[in-house]
Amino acid sequence: FPVTIHAARRKMISLGKAKRNDGTNVDHVKALDSGGSGRSVRNLKVVSAKANAMKEVRCKRSQKGNN
C-alpha cells in the first residue's frame, strides 16, 4: 500500500489540493482494505496529520473489538 499512498499524495499535489511539507495527509475516504479505490480522486481527501492519526487509532480500536 505505500506505493498507493505516495501516488495519491502526488495526485492531490498535481491537482493543487495539497502542497509539499504543508502538514497534511491524503486520506482514502473508503479504506483500501475495505475495497476502496486507490486510483480515484473521489476516494481521496486532504486532512490534517492529527486528524488522520486519530482516524487510524479509532480504526485499530474497532478492529480489535471485532476479533
Side-chain angles (χ1 to χ4, degrees), residues 24-64:
T24 61
N25 290 346
V26 175
D27 183 32
H28 290 86
V29 176
K30 183 173 182 180
L32 299 176
D33 294 342
S34 301
S37 172
R39 304 265 182 218
S40 175
V41 176
R42 292 180 300 201
N43 192 40
L44 301 175
K45 66 179 178 179
V46 177
V47 296
S48 70
K50 183 178 179 179
N52 199 30
M54 293 303 294
K55 179 182 176 186
E56 290 177 15
V57 169
R58 283 194 314 269
C59 288
K60 287 182 181 179
R61 283 184 187 164
S62 66
Q63 288 175 355
K64 193 181 235 185

Side-chain angles (χ1 to χ4, degrees), residues 9-20:
R9 176 100 185 144
R10 285 193 306 271
K11 188 178 287 189
M12 294 302 264
I13 289 172
S14 70
L15 293 173
K17 296 186 177 193
K19 294 180 183 175
R20 291 185 59 173

